[in-house]
Amino acid sequence: MHGLLAAGVQVEDSQQSGDDPVGDLHARTVRHLERDGLVSRTAFPEVPPRVEYELTATGRTLIGPAVKLAEWAVDHNPGIERNQAAYDSRQP
């Protein structure tokens, strides 16, 4: 994933119709990341429309902390699953 983000990710860009909540959420998230200066967006005048997203220098500074968070999640997953099971067993 790190390589994809650093090198850029190409996706087809379609008009959001409201019929795809996941796509709408993705589009909003990417717009927020672009607004925050974490990703750059390049649109290509093609049919179908295509855009490429790439991490900016600021966005790349998040790779290390994101990897650390992922490692923490993997290390702590067994305990989290035990806590979830204990919680669920107490629910009516």
Side-chain angles (χ1 to χ4, degrees):
M1 177 105 150
H2 163 244
L4 286 175
L5 293 174
V9 177
Q10 295 178 12
V11 295
E12 288 184 9
D13 193 20
S14 62
Q15 296 292 331
Q16 297 300 322
S17 65
D19 294 338
D20 180 8
V22 173
D24 292 346
L25 178 60
H26 175 261
R28 279 194 307 274
T29 300
V30 170
R31 279 194 299 271
H32 288 292
L33 292 171
E34 183 180 11
R35 181 175 181 250
D36 292 343
L38 301 175
V39 299
S40 62
R41 178 182 187 272
T42 304
F44 297 89
E46 300 174 357
V47 177
R50 180 175 62 92
V51 296
E52 183 174 300
Y53 296 95
E54 187 171 3
L55 287 174
T56 62
T58 302
R60 286 189 295 276
T61 67
L62 290 172
I63 293 171
V67 168
K68 291 291 186 192
L69 178 59
E71 291 169 347
W72 179 93
V74 168
D75 291 346
H76 290 83
N77 191 55
I80 291 169
E81 288 179 346
R82 283 192 302 275
N83 292 337
Q84 291 172 339
Y87 176 89
D88 292 346
S89 71
R90 296 189 303 267
Q91 299 309 306

